[in-house]
Amino acid sequence: MHTLRSLTRLSAAVRATTLLIAAGAIGGFWLLPGAASAACTAPGPSNDFGSATTTLTVPSAATYNIWTRMKAGGSTANSFNMDVDGGACYQVGGANTSSTAWTWVNYQGGNTANKVQQSLGQGAHTIKMYGTQAGVEVDRIIAVSDLSCVPTGTDGTNCNNPGDTTSPTVALTAPAANVTVSGATDISANATDNTQVAKVEFYVNSTLVNTDTTAPYTYKWDTSLLPNGSYTILAKAYDAAGNTASDTRPVMVKNNDTQAPTTPTALTATASSFDKVNLAWSASTDNIAVKGYIVTRNGSPIASLGAVTSYTDSSVSPKTTYSYQVAAVDVAGNQSAPTTAIKVTTGGGPTDSQAPTAPGNLETQAVSPSQVNLKWVASTDNVGVASYQVFRQSGVSTVEQIATVSGKTTTFGDTTLKAHTTYTYSVKAVDAAGNVSPRSNLDTITTHSTQKTSELIGYIRDTNGKGIPYASVSFPIDGVNHTYKANSQGWYDADGVPGGSYWMTFSAPGYKSLTISRNVNVNARVAQHATLERQ
């Protein structure tokens, strides 16, 4: 009589067969005391006679008869409980189940017309069984889509439904073919299948080195103890039906490489235009292989390249002198000495009297008592925008330029502000010739209070219920009018408002303004929405 540990081992040995839609070879066993299935209700520990779990894999969605090859323990000990994927509980067998011979059974509760039949989706399904009567043996469970077929023999192969004959696909993704590797190297592969990938095996020179059953399929290959030379990596994928596919690629192992490449030679630098410098050099050599090159400008790296011998620097400014150097790197990470620095001066650019367009759609957002963030839509220019000038005004004070940012930047954070203060911002674009664009739209914002008292939020919408982009709400606080801008969806957030009663005026271009009286409690979050009519 098998122990429960034996049952677990036998259950783990269950496999699918390509001769049937799905089959589980469980091996003959007596069901012994053990835990019951969660989906089936156990009658109690005193007559719980064992449990087992197996897996059936089906290649396509269909309705299946689930057949069990079993032998009863006697005239009254002739059934066991089973569920599929934790679903309804079947009492398999019952009256008409033989106790003297192995019998294929697909009925429940002793009623041969009441089939153990279930719709199954493509893929693997979990079968859970546990015994409720002493002496019941179970040998094999199969799922058959031919509902008229009655299995015979040990395997029931007369119900020969077509199995899964589609092979999986597998492709090595690392390392690349013909590269030189050293030390710990990642081997990885992608694998797919029409049902499911069971496992991916990794081989080095025909020797199995790792098996991975879960995507992503990877293996850390330690080459440090291997002789230097050529190796072949193979990834082999299996599906649940035993179909396979493989992919191979050669690599070169080279460890203990401390020899740096030679320094690149014949470096040249040419300012092809006011905003481009073209570099070219002669290739370096290495005892194994040159991996690439590092380009530095004015002493700082600006590019890490592959095994190429030219580069164009497109981030230069007009009328500026730059110093360039290039160094080579091999596959082991050894870096050569850099080339002698070579200098080049860019030109002044074409004569340009055309100013850029005004920056568009300036938006501001208060993020703290001392900071407001700005963003805008980039300007355009016949040559190129070189920079943006950011302007700020507080109350009736003079408009002042507070920052200049790169022409490739359309954001700015102003961090030099006072708490609970209203500011108005604008932006202008400047091109390389010094032409200045018209001013952007003005945008007014109030910074947060240092002492958070109350918060006013709301939704400013039109009569159709749609938010009005960048509408605003204004109301006086301590005698000073404060304006809060809504976002592009019509929501506003006025933070740090002292408790009290306020007359709030909601407005937006093209709409009639609306004034609402609102009482704000101290230390509260208050919502006040507004609906504006078009003019």
Side-chain angles (χ1 to χ4, degrees), residues 227-506:
N228 292 337
S230 178
Y231 290 81
T232 298
I233 298 171
L234 181 144
K236 188 175 184 180
Y238 295 77
D239 65 13
N243 302 306
T244 65
S246 61
D247 185 30
T248 63
R249 61 182 48 172
V251 296
M252 178 69 70
V253 171
K254 180 66 176 179
N255 287 296
N256 303 317
D257 176 18
T258 60
Q259 181 175 331
T262 61
T263 300
T265 58
L267 174 64
T268 62
T270 304
S272 59
S273 67
F274 70 94
D275 59 352
K276 285 185 178 64
V277 172
N278 296 329
L279 304 176
W281 58 92
S282 296
S284 300
T285 59
D286 187 66
N287 62 318
I288 299 176
V290 174
K291 181 180 180 180
Y293 297 89
I294 297 174
V295 179
T296 61
R297 184 182 68 195
N298 297 341
S300 299
I302 60 170
S304 180
L305 310 174
V308 297
T309 56
S310 63
Y311 174 71
T312 298
D313 183 4
S314 300
S315 60
V316 294
S317 300
K319 299 181 180 179
T320 306
T321 299
Y322 297 96
S323 175
Y324 292 93
Q325 291 175 287
V326 178
V329 180
D330 66 16
V331 292
N334 301 305
Q335 184 171 322
S336 76
T339 61
T340 301
I342 185 169
K343 293 184 178 181
V344 64
T345 301
T346 55
T351 301
D352 179 16
S353 59
Q354 181 176 330
T357 61
N361 199 22
L362 173 64
E363 296 182 36
T364 58
Q365 179 185 23
V367 295
S368 76
S370 61
Q371 181 170 347
V372 167
N373 290 342
L374 291 76
K375 66 177 181 178
W376 58 89
V377 175
S379 300
T380 59
D381 187 67
N382 61 319
V383 177
V385 175
S387 62
Y388 290 97
Q389 299 171 342
V390 181
F391 297 87
R392 182 184 68 200
Q393 181 180 17
S394 175
V396 296
S397 64
T398 304
V399 177
E400 59 177 334
Q401 181 180 338
I402 60 171
T404 299
V405 298
S406 166
K408 297 181 180 180
T409 301
T410 56
T411 60
F412 175 71
D414 186 1
T415 61
T416 60
L417 306 176
K418 296 180 181 179
H420 213 264
T421 303
T422 299
Y423 296 93
T424 300
Y425 291 89
S426 61
V427 179
K428 293 181 180 180
V430 183
D431 64 17
N435 300 304
V436 181
S437 77
R439 185 178 63 180
S440 70
N441 60 292
L442 299 176
D443 202 62
T444 302
I445 193 74
T446 301
T447 54
H448 294 175
S449 171
T450 54
Q451 293 184 346
K452 202 170 185 178
T453 52
S454 299
E455 183 180 13
L456 264 171
I457 62 171
Y459 183 52
I460 307 175
R461 61 205 167 199
D462 60 22
T463 53
N464 295 319
K466 184 177 180 180
I468 303 174
Y470 315 115
S472 63
V473 56
S474 301
F475 52 90
I477 300 176
D478 297 330
V480 178
N481 195 56
H482 291 259
T483 300
Y484 299 89
K485 182 79 68 175
N487 62 18
S488 58
Q489 286 77 45
W491 287 94
Y492 72 90
D493 186 346
D495 200 6
V497 177
S501 182
Y502 296 93
W503 286 98
M504 305 172 62
T505 300
F506 297 87

Side-chain angles (χ1 to χ4, degrees), residues 90 101 201 222 243 256 297 321 513 521 533:
Y90 299 105
E201 295 176 341
D222 184 5
N243 302 306
N256 303 317
R297 184 182 68 195
T321 299
S513 62
N521 295 327
E533 297 180 0

